[in-house]
Amino acid sequence: MRTISWSPRYAIGMPKVDDQHQMLFKLISQLREDYAAGKNGAALRVALDALLDYCLKHFADEEALMESVQFPDLVQHRFEHENLRMAVADYHKHFEADPKSFDFPEFIDFVTVWIQTHVLVSDMRIRDHVASRKGSD
């Protein structure tokens, strides 16, 4: 399974978003650690649900921020968030149907790669947009 840890390279320079990204990294890491430690299905469910709930909160907050700064790629960014929501809902459905056969390593690898790529590519566009607006003031 892939590991994930926060580093300054993921910072987009907006404290609320950066704090939430750090929390997402922490929640993914915690899920990985719980799975690797052999924790039972109930403990894994708690960790998985915490990650999913926080992800939804973060997306809502990030999308509101993008609206407030008139981010021109908001529609595309929302589409990326929606794609993750749908993928995670599918994973969650599989977990609920049969927790013992749920492929946690696959899920953890998926969300790890997704969040790292999303922050480094898509969220950095928000940073660049805000910086360009400040530069034109």
Side-chain angles (χ1 to χ4, degrees):
M1 282 182 295
R2 295 175 186 266
T3 59
I4 186 169
S5 61
W6 177 260
S7 76
R9 75 186 188 123
Y10 295 107
I12 68 167
M14 293 168 213
K16 182 176 183 175
V17 174
D18 288 337
D19 290 348
Q20 289 182 351
H21 285 160
Q22 287 180 53
M23 178 57 76
L24 287 169
F25 278 51
K26 182 179 176 182
L27 290 168
I28 294 167
S29 185
Q30 185 62 54
L31 181 60
R32 182 188 185 284
E33 290 170 19
D34 288 353
Y35 176 78
K39 291 202 175 173
N40 67 25
L44 293 172
R45 174 177 276 115
V46 168
L48 179 61
D49 288 347
L51 172 61
L52 302 181
D53 290 346
Y54 198 82
C55 207
L56 295 177
K57 176 197 177 342
H58 167 66
F59 287 168
D61 289 348
E62 190 174 272
E63 290 169 11
L65 169 79
M66 288 185 288
E67 286 177 3
S68 75
V69 298
Q70 300 168 337
F71 183 60
D73 295 329
L74 174 61
V75 171
Q76 174 60 34
H77 205 104
R78 274 192 176 135
F79 180 73
E80 291 175 25
H81 287 172
E82 186 58 28
N83 281 341
L84 181 68
R85 282 185 199 103
M86 290 187 308
V88 167
D90 192 47
Y91 274 110
H92 196 266
K93 184 175 18 171
H94 290 298
F95 177 78
E96 291 297 325
D98 189 4
K100 290 183 181 185
S101 70
F102 185 74
D103 192 342
F104 271 99
E106 176 186 303
F107 175 74
I108 292 165
D109 286 349
F110 170 75
V111 294
T112 297
V113 169
W114 191 92
I115 192 73
Q116 289 171 323
T117 303
H118 183 77
V119 170
L120 289 173
V121 177
S122 299
D123 287 350
M124 290 301 172
R125 290 185 188 123
I126 303 167
R127 178 202 62 191
D128 296 345
H129 172 72
V130 170
S132 72
R133 285 177 49 123
K134 285 182 181 173
S136 65
D137 289 343

